[in-house]
Amino acid sequence: MNSTKTNINYFTLLIVLLFVFAFLNISLGSISIPFDEILNSLLGKTVSKESWNTIIINYRLPKTITAILVGSGLAISGLLMQTLFRNPLAGPFVLGISSGASLGVALLILGSSIFGGFLASSVFSNWATAVAASLGSFLVLLAVIAAANKIRNTMSILIIGLMFGSLTSAVISVLTYFSEAEQIQQYMFWSFGSLGNLTWNELSIFSIIYFISISCILFVIKPLNSLLLGENYAKSLGINIKKSRNIILLITSLLTGVITAFSGPIAFVGIAVPHIAKMIFSSSNHKLLIPASAIIGAIILLICDSFAQLPTSEFTLPINAITSLFGAPVVIWLLIRKKKIYV
């Protein structure tokens, strides 16, 4: 009973922190806007300056929502991969899905000088970048699912995903060698990750795929808890390992693919947040860990994005750099304090 009450208190605190940091994230930017004006804009009331309302509704609010979706999606994906492979270092990118998305964008940006024509005219389109990343991640997804159906050993799928990552990195290196400095710079900027480039139309598509993926998790909570004790134990409970594994791979691939397509590859969150959730709740039950990881992941990415804003400055630091700088010391400290790695 005490444990249940404690968990409720933790969730209440996390939800409050989520709203606080979401509002703080909307408040920060190159232009200083009073808190009361921000609140009026969010509530649909009259704002002193129309430009402030435009900035909040069309730029800052979509960026904050994107941070919440990306942070929670990466955290959930990391949790699923760590449970499936029973590896505390597994993250959402181990399947090579992100590498496939990166290859798609590399072919679009770096390959424009080689292939020319349509590619060259499409490089500067946000939609073209998202489509290229989606196609790349989808092709790798098909390859991973095909491998999963051929191989019984789950760890072999992990190795195959790492090999896909190495292969795509090699192709990107070749494309980089033959590309011009401007194209390399553009690809590098994409690889830094960004949360502030989405319009409401792009965000709506992102949200639909996100919520479809999240809803599928309801079908694998029991298999996830069973897999903690090994595949043989899960089979003894009547779990269909092959079916459950395919659903888990599909969920992770969809989340990772859509996040990379619209926001670029964002490191750290997927690996570290599940450990933080396990340490806070001292539980391995996925009914607790999935929502906890989602909320914590969203909070951490909101905090990192707020630091990246450089308030009152027109410059924004790469979100990838901030997530690692902020998050890695926190996880190291937590692991040293607890003296235990949670699997």
Side-chain angles (χ1 to χ4, degrees):
M1 191 70 180
N2 289 333
S3 177
T4 302
K5 186 177 180 180
T6 302
N7 290 336
I8 292 174
N9 291 336
Y10 281 145
F11 273 115
T12 302
L13 177 61
L14 288 174
I15 291 171
V16 170
L17 289 175
L18 178 62
F19 279 102
V20 169
F21 285 113
F23 186 78
L24 179 65
N25 188 259
I26 295 174
S27 304
L28 297 176
S30 58
I31 297 176
S32 180
I33 303 176
F35 282 178
D36 57 335
E37 297 289 355
I38 294 172
L39 196 58
N40 288 337
S41 177
L42 294 175
L43 295 175
K45 297 180 180 180
T46 304
V47 180
S48 301
K49 296 182 181 179
E50 185 59 32
S51 60
W52 287 353
N53 189 60
T54 302
I55 291 170
I56 294 168
I57 300 300
N58 293 334
Y59 296 98
R60 294 189 183 180
L61 183 58
K63 181 173 63 66
T64 299
I65 295 174
T66 301
I68 293 172
L69 296 181
V70 170
S72 60
L74 289 175
I76 291 173
S77 298
L79 176 63
L80 296 183
M81 290 296 93
Q82 289 172 12
T83 301
L84 178 64
F85 296 117
R86 301 185 68 196
N87 186 335
L89 296 179
F93 301 141
V94 296
L95 296 178
I97 304 299
S98 176
S99 299
S102 298
L103 178 59
V105 175
L107 287 171
L108 179 71
I109 297 176
L110 303 178
S112 60
S113 60
I114 300 173
F115 303 111
F118 171 74
L119 286 179
S121 63
S122 302
V123 167
F124 299 103
S125 167
N126 285 337
W127 280 111
T129 304
V131 170
S134 299
L135 287 175
S137 61
F138 181 70
L139 290 176
V140 174
L141 166 61
L142 291 180
V144 170
I145 294 296
N149 289 326
K150 296 281 186 180
I151 299 172
R152 292 184 179 180
N153 187 357
T154 302
M155 292 304 298
S156 297
I157 300 174
L158 176 60
I159 296 172
I160 289 173
L162 294 174
M163 292 304 101
F164 274 124
S166 299
L167 180 63
T168 54
S169 296
V171 175
I172 292 172
S173 297
V174 173
L175 290 172
T176 303
Y177 182 81
F178 288 103
S179 299
E180 299 176 359
E182 183 181 350
Q183 294 167 326
I184 296 173
Q185 185 182 45
Q186 186 181 357
Y187 177 75
M188 287 299 295
F189 279 136
W190 176 83
S191 67
F192 288 153
S194 176
L195 302 173
N197 292 332
L198 298 190
T199 64
W200 281 110
N201 288 334
E202 293 167 337
L203 185 57
S204 62
I205 294 176
F206 184 2
S207 301
I208 290 170
I209 299 174
Y210 171 90
F211 285 112
I212 290 174
S213 304
I214 294 298
S215 62
C216 293
I217 293 178
L218 297 174
F219 298 101
V220 293
I221 290 179
K222 182 180 177 181
L224 284 168
N225 285 333
S226 302
L227 286 170
L228 290 172
L229 297 176
E231 292 187 1
N232 291 331
Y233 176 78
K235 288 178 182 177
S236 69
L237 295 179
I239 302 297
N240 187 328
I241 298 296
K242 186 176 180 180
K243 179 181 177 182
S244 299
R245 187 171 64 185
N246 283 344
I247 294 175
I248 293 170
L249 291 175
L250 182 62
I251 293 169
T252 304
S253 300
L254 283 174
L255 284 174
T256 305
V258 72
I259 287 170
T260 308
F262 285 104
S263 301
I266 297 177
F268 164 75
V269 177
I271 294 178
V273 170
H275 293 297
I276 296 174
K278 292 170 187 176
M279 290 173 187
I280 292 174
F281 287 88
S282 300
S283 173
S284 58
N285 186 350
H286 285 77
K287 288 183 179 179
L288 283 175
L289 291 181
I290 289 173
S293 296
I295 299 172
I296 295 170
I299 290 171
I300 286 179
L301 203 55
L302 284 170
I303 294 172
C304 291
D305 186 56
S306 298
F307 277 108
Q309 283 302 305
L310 293 177
T312 70
S313 172
E314 60 181 6
F315 297 104
T316 302
L317 295 175
I319 189 66
N320 250 334
I322 300 300
T323 53
S324 298
L325 284 172
F326 175 80
V330 173
V331 175
I332 292 171
W333 177 76
L334 286 171
L335 290 175
I336 292 173
R337 185 183 175 201
K338 290 286 185 179
K339 299 180 181 180
K340 180 181 179 182
I341 294 180
Y342 289 76
V343 181

